[in-house]
Amino acid sequence: QVQLVESGGGLVQAGGSLRLSCAASGNTFNINTMGWYRQVPGKQRELVAISSGGSSNYADSVKGRFTISRDNAKDTVDLQMDSLKPEDTAVYYCNAERIDWLKRKSVYWGQGTQVTVSS
């Protein structure tokens, strides 16, 4: 099992910045992907940014504004969010995926942290 603990988030004005952090613990061996998703009420959870194999991918809506950084030695992943917009308001979830020696994929989620951007 992998446990993900998030920190950061909160209330910020439009144009401001926030930083989310996520630390993984437990059986973190072979975690190949870590990233961030977000969800607003009534909508599906959507990918924000993901780090895998040394490369990063971003949702089009956050490209140029958000930056994901991962420390494999510490099993952490951060999301720096700049130039925040009201439409970025959501609950943000840390995500990790692990492949075991039988090539079975396990997906883990953090508890979520609220980000609210006021206009």
Side-chain angles (χ1 to χ4, degrees):
Q1 287 289 334
V2 173
Q3 293 79 43
L4 301 174
V5 178
E6 300 140 343
S7 60
L11 174 64
V12 66
Q13 287 188 332
S17 298
L18 283 174
R19 188 175 185 88
L20 306 181
S21 296
C22 174
S25 62
N27 188 1
T28 60
F29 184 72
N30 277 345
I31 288 181
N32 63 315
T33 300
M34 294 189 76
W36 292 91
Y37 288 69
R38 66 187 181 188
Q39 188 171 23
V40 298
K43 293 190 176 182
Q44 286 189 333
R45 193 170 296 186
E46 64 174 6
L47 171 71
V48 176
I50 198 163
S51 174
S52 179
S55 64
S56 301
N57 288 292
Y58 298 88
D60 288 342
S61 59
V62 307
K63 282 181 181 177
R65 300 188 297 121
F66 291 11
T67 303
I68 190 170
S69 58
R70 180 175 172 184
D71 187 331
N72 289 325
K74 297 181 179 179
D75 292 321
T76 60
V77 63
D78 292 350
L79 185 68
Q80 176 65 39
M81 304 184 293
D82 299 317
S83 302
L84 282 161
K85 304 176 181 179
E87 51 264 43
D88 294 318
T89 295
V91 177
Y92 284 70
Y93 294 91
C94 180
N95 166 275
E97 296 183 1
R98 185 170 63 88
I99 306 294
D100 68 16
W101 65 283
L102 293 174
K103 299 191 184 302
R104 298 173 300 189
K105 185 172 75 172
S106 298
V107 181
Y108 304 93
W109 295 97
Q111 78 281 4
T113 184
Q114 177 70 46
V115 171
T116 303
V117 184
S118 63
S119 57

